[in-house]
Amino acid sequence: MIDELTLQASVKKLAHIIQESKVNLNEKEGVDDPIASSKKILAIGQGTETSKNAEKMRQFAEDLGFVLAGSRPAAEIHHFMDMDHYVGMSGQKFKGDLYIAAGISGSKPHLKGIEDAGMVIAINTDPNAPIFKHADYGIVGDMNEVIPMLVNELQSKDEAEQANESTKENDSAKDMSLYQCLLCGYVYDPAIGDPENGIAPGTPFQDLPEDWCCPMCGAAKADFEKV
């Protein structure tokens, strides 16, 4: 059980655990994809309480690239999802990497559906709910508070990784060719730059200011050619 000083701190710790696991958060799945072939599931139960909350959970699952599933009562009684998306002994079996059981107490029939799941995370207001005994990690709290915070934490990491990848792609697209001065033979190396004249290392020749000149002989930028 994860029990930090605040609920937010507990959620942050849980998000870190997920991020450091083998779960591939970058591989997105459709919210209505089949349970049998899914890798990541957000499953909701009667703790969802209302159809409005269920719609929010559906959006959270879509934002994360998770499949939305649920307990049998969530599908059969409350109609939070179609009947082919409830997990349990008489329903679908989940054998993927991550199963988040939110607002699900954990009846024996439901647990039969996640016997082969990778990481199981339980979120429930009842600390004595059976689901906690079958989960790898758990947080005692209202799923309608915990899930939005968890999604925010996971998305922040995902956005940061995407930004890093974009930066790497931009860097690789830069022309880091050497350019030589036709007058004195000085070679401008983008990896070194021209720190003495305010040009930082990693600056391509094309990005040099038009009034930049050769630090050796003062030749203009136009007097350089690609080596």
Side-chain angles (χ1 to χ4, degrees):
M1 196 81 72
I2 299 175
D3 186 17
E4 300 296 303
L5 292 176
T6 65
L7 183 60
Q8 186 172 10
S10 294
V11 173
K12 187 179 289 289
K13 183 175 181 178
L14 176 59
H16 180 72
I17 290 171
I18 296 173
Q19 291 158 354
E20 295 301 313
S21 71
K22 69 174 184 178
V23 178
N24 185 358
L25 295 174
N26 294 321
E27 183 180 349
K28 305 300 182 182
E29 301 177 59
V31 69
D32 293 318
D33 282 0
I35 301 296
S37 60
S38 63
K39 297 294 184 183
K40 302 179 295 295
I41 277 183
L42 171 59
I44 60 177
Q46 298 194 80
T48 310
E49 296 181 344
T50 68
S51 296
K52 184 177 181 180
N53 286 337
E55 282 302 312
K56 291 179 180 179
M57 294 300 149
R58 181 181 178 83
Q59 185 60 56
F60 289 142
E62 188 172 347
D63 291 342
L64 290 174
F66 286 22
V67 175
L68 181 70
S71 62
R72 182 167 183 166
E76 190 172 47
I77 299 174
H78 300 286
H79 308 295
F80 291 155
M81 71 283 300
D82 292 336
M83 287 294 289
D84 62 355
H85 269 66
Y86 84 79
V87 176
M89 183 169 62
S90 60
Q92 302 296 318
K93 307 299 188 294
F94 176 68
K95 301 179 181 180
D97 299 328
L98 175 61
Y99 189 81
I100 300 178
I104 296 176
S105 62
S107 64
K108 289 184 178 179
H110 183 79
L111 295 174
K112 285 290 183 181
I114 58 174
E115 289 179 327
D116 298 318
M119 181 190 296
V120 176
I121 293 170
I123 299 166
N124 202 290
T125 55
D126 180 5
N128 297 314
I131 190 70
F132 284 119
K133 294 181 180 180
H134 298 269
D136 297 289
Y137 303 97
I139 290 180
V140 176
D142 185 344
M143 59 169 284
N144 298 300
E145 295 180 16
V146 174
I147 294 299
M149 287 192 284
L150 181 60
V151 171
N152 183 62
E153 290 291 335
L154 294 177
Q155 282 190 315
S156 296
K157 176 67 177 294
D158 187 44
E159 290 170 357
E161 289 180 347
Q162 289 179 3
N164 288 335
E165 287 299 320
S166 177
T167 299
K168 290 178 181 178
E169 290 176 2
N170 290 335
D171 288 343
S172 63
K174 291 180 179 179
D175 183 359
M176 301 299 281
S177 302
L178 303 177
Y179 279 76
Q180 186 173 36
C181 177
L182 298 176
L183 300 183
C184 71
Y186 165 80
V187 176
Y188 175 78
D189 183 349
I192 299 174
D194 183 12
E196 293 185 1
N197 291 299
I199 307 301
T203 304
F205 184 81
Q206 292 87 348
D207 291 349
L208 294 175
E210 289 306 314
D211 60 354
W212 178 84
C213 58
C214 176
M216 297 297 292
C217 69
K221 183 179 176 181
D223 293 322
F224 280 71
E225 69 176 10
K226 190 174 183 178
V227 176

